[in-house]
Amino acid sequence: MVTPRSHFPKKEARPQDLDAIRSALTDFSYVVQSPRSIRRLQTYRPDMQPYVWVLFDDETLALYNGKKNTPLYLAILGEVFDVTKGRRFYGDEKGYGGFVGRDASRAFVTGDFTPKGLIDQVEDLTPEQFKSLVEWRAFYHKQYTYKGRLVGRFYNSEGRPKRLLKRIEEEAARAKSDEELQREVEAQWPSCNVRWTESEGGTVWCDGGAYPRKVFMQLPGGNKPTTKCACFQELGWSDLRQVYPDCAPDAHSCKV
């Protein structure tokens, strides 16, 4: 039986109703009760095409473990995918078999495939790890069949994103911006050549008549300052662009 939530229209929306609905909501949904705690949401998107997904709980997702001819499902960041076609990777006792029937988001970036590592607890991960998780999620959207959402850490009982998921996506986006800025810095200040031997120690040098400098950088987002050896065409130095100790300012190679 289809039961509309009280703040949604009790009849199917007409095209002329959609503009008013979109002004307050990104979509609207009807909840359909079905066995095993699965609820099906039918959502009318701005393109007027109905989109259906399923809400899973942990117990239901665990049933999709490939046993008794069931499909293989896994979740990442609360999104559920059918990976049955990848049975050679996700089948019982295969390398990624531990991911099946659960949300093991943490293991995607830690590489810990033990029972303690195959969990969805990710609050303490770094923005760079959040970025990697978002990229893994995009991979599954591209390679496998999306089946629905897992109610729990990332989605509420109505299938709406929780604050944690929004934070992950925001920090992942900032990490991507920092990475792009790092590439811009690399393009502006090319890195030095580096060599190290046990007999001579470390050496940095620049080609094309450039001068090696120890550069101090800090990217946005509160990251700690970092240093790198960069090559400059102009002969100059400052507190943030230092000449290496015991190296002449006009040298093209320095011991470090």
Side-chain angles (χ1 to χ4, degrees):
M1 178 178 179
V2 179
T3 307
R5 292 205 291 266
S6 60
H7 56 282
F8 292 140
K10 294 188 177 181
K11 61 181 180 179
E12 184 176 349
R14 300 167 298 173
Q16 57 265 39
D17 296 329
L18 290 179
D19 288 338
I21 294 171
R22 291 190 200 114
S23 66
L25 301 167
T26 57
D27 54 32
F28 66 96
S29 307
Y30 291 94
V31 178
V32 181
Q33 301 296 332
S34 61
R36 294 189 183 279
S37 302
I38 299 178
R39 284 163 296 170
R40 185 175 298 276
L41 277 68
Q42 181 166 321
T43 301
Y44 290 81
R45 298 282 180 168
D47 60 6
M48 298 287 294
Q49 298 299 318
Y51 177 72
V52 176
W53 71 75
V54 172
L55 292 182
F56 296 82
D57 58 20
D58 290 333
E59 181 182 359
T60 303
L61 180 59
L63 298 175
Y64 293 90
N65 56 14
K67 299 178 181 178
K68 298 182 180 180
N69 296 319
T70 59
L72 297 168
Y73 287 9
L74 62 75
I76 178 171
L77 293 178
E79 296 195 14
V80 180
F81 298 90
D82 183 342
V83 297
T84 305
K85 71 177 185 179
R87 189 177 292 274
R88 67 185 184 276
F89 304 115
Y90 300 99
D92 191 27
E93 297 183 358
K94 300 298 182 181
Y96 298 100
F99 286 84
V100 171
R102 70 181 76 193
D103 188 324
S105 293
R106 188 178 187 87
F108 279 96
V109 294
T110 64
D112 183 355
F113 293 179
T114 67
K116 290 184 178 180
L118 291 165
I119 57 176
D120 62 355
Q121 192 274 319
V122 298
E123 287 86 343
D124 60 327
L125 298 182
T126 66
E128 290 74 20
Q129 289 173 313
F130 288 155
K131 175 177 174 289
S132 181
L133 272 177
V134 170
E135 290 171 347
W136 270 112
R137 184 180 63 182
F139 165 81
Y140 280 93
H141 272 289
K142 183 177 180 180
Q143 297 294 330
Y144 294 99
T145 303
Y146 173 70
K147 302 302 292 187
R149 295 175 175 178
L150 178 63
V151 174
R153 191 175 297 272
F154 305 105
Y155 288 96
N156 65 19
S157 60
E158 296 181 337
R160 304 295 182 185
K162 288 187 174 180
R163 186 173 300 176
L164 172 61
L165 181 58
K166 295 178 181 179
R167 177 194 145 206
I168 289 170
E169 291 173 340
E170 290 170 358
E171 293 194 19
R174 282 198 294 269
K176 183 176 181 180
S177 297
D178 287 354
E179 187 176 89
E180 291 171 347
L181 182 56
Q182 181 69 50
R183 287 198 295 267
E184 292 177 2
V185 169
E186 291 287 347
Q188 182 181 2
W189 298 331
S191 296
C192 305
N193 301 297
V194 179
R195 181 180 63 244
W196 185 90
T197 64
E198 186 174 355
S199 59
E200 297 182 3
T203 304
V204 295
W205 75 95
C206 296
D207 299 322
Y211 308 100
R213 295 290 183 264
K214 185 177 183 180
V215 178
F216 291 81
M217 302 182 300
Q218 182 168 11
L219 299 177
N223 295 324
K224 293 182 179 180
T226 61
T227 61
K228 62 168 288 185
C229 180
C231 295
F232 292 84
Q233 292 297 327
E234 66 274 12
L235 180 62
W237 59 91
S238 67
D239 289 341
L240 300 180
R241 194 173 82 183
Q242 297 179 1
V243 176
Y244 280 93
D246 302 321
C247 188
D250 58 351
H252 302 294
S253 176
C254 298
K255 295 289 186 180
V256 294

